[in-house]
Amino acid sequence: PLRDRFGIAHKIEFYKYDELKQIIVNFSRLINLNLDDEASYGLAKISRGTPRIANRMLRRCRDFADLETGGIITLPLVQKSLARMGIDELGLDQMDCHILRTIIEKYDGGPVGLNTLSAAVSEEQDTLEEVYEPFLLMQGFLQRTPRGRMVTRQAYEHLGMNIRSEDQLPLFSSR
């Protein structure tokens, strides 16, 4: 109803890596940070397609850089900072991994309903749908089916977990 009221339908899309990299570079200049090119691209890759997250990660890396490199942000510093924050090389945080592992370990990879998953990971359904699922879907780790959420082959591989029987896995691939 809200969309119909204004008569304009817009589709919101995630930012591309190059766009995020430029946002990060611009923000680093604004706050007087010394940031190398590899570091800016590394931050763009883990920013979940969102400038707000990119800038937040840059500020956290700045905190680590102040302590460890005298304020210079390099790719190794970004990687070390992300590891300390529990964020992997693709931008998955601890809750993302918890969601995927729960579906794999408790529900044999799915399908599992949103209500059940919400209770299992102790997170609100709205938060799962609006915060975590879009990124997991975009990365190809999660699939929504009429029967519920299922993890994909990529999720098993990324987490280093054994894949259940091949005939039951979704064939979806984002790569």
Side-chain angles (χ1 to χ4, degrees):
L2 181 62
R3 288 184 206 166
D4 291 339
R5 183 165 296 154
F6 294 102
I8 301 172
H10 289 285
K11 181 180 179 200
I12 298 174
E13 295 188 18
F14 292 104
Y15 283 73
K16 294 175 178 49
Y17 293 148
D18 291 335
E19 295 168 331
L20 285 167
K21 180 182 172 197
Q22 190 58 50
I23 289 167
I24 291 165
V25 168
N26 292 345
F27 188 62
S28 70
R29 288 182 189 140
L30 184 69
I31 61 174
N32 296 319
L33 282 180
N34 188 353
L35 175 73
D36 75 21
D37 195 54
E38 286 182 323
S40 62
Y41 191 72
L43 284 168
K45 284 180 63 177
I46 59 90
S47 296
R48 305 172 81 99
T50 308
R52 177 180 37 82
I53 293 173
N55 290 336
R56 186 180 73 219
M57 290 296 123
L58 179 60
R59 285 191 299 272
R60 295 298 69 78
C61 287
R62 175 193 57 195
D63 297 341
F64 286 103
D66 287 343
L67 293 172
E68 297 188 20
T69 63
I72 300 169
I73 300 177
T74 62
L75 183 59
L77 176 93
V78 167
Q79 292 166 337
K80 188 174 181 181
S81 302
L82 294 172
R84 287 182 178 172
M85 291 186 281
I87 300 170
D88 72 17
E89 69 279 359
L90 296 180
L92 274 67
D93 63 19
Q94 292 172 348
M95 183 55 132
D96 294 315
C97 293
H98 180 56
I99 292 166
L100 296 174
R101 286 183 191 282
T102 298
I103 296 171
I104 291 169
E105 293 170 353
K106 291 187 177 184
Y107 304 102
D108 198 26
V112 59
L114 181 61
N115 190 28
T116 302
L117 181 59
S118 171
V121 298
S122 300
E123 187 62 74
E124 294 291 325
Q125 290 181 39
D126 291 344
T127 304
L128 286 176
E129 277 189 306
E130 296 168 13
V131 176
Y132 297 104
E133 277 189 356
F135 183 67
L136 294 172
L137 288 164
M138 179 180 76
Q139 293 296 313
F141 293 133
L142 190 66
Q143 186 176 28
R144 287 186 196 170
T145 71
R147 294 176 39 213
R149 277 66 178 162
M150 295 181 71
V151 296
T152 63
R153 199 172 273 116
Q154 290 92 330
Y156 282 91
E157 291 168 0
H158 183 72
L159 295 172
M161 299 181 80
N162 292 328
I163 298 174
R164 64 187 178 135
S165 70
E166 292 289 319
D167 60 332
Q168 296 176 352
L169 280 177
L171 299 176
F172 173 73
S173 174
S174 66
R175 299 177 206 265

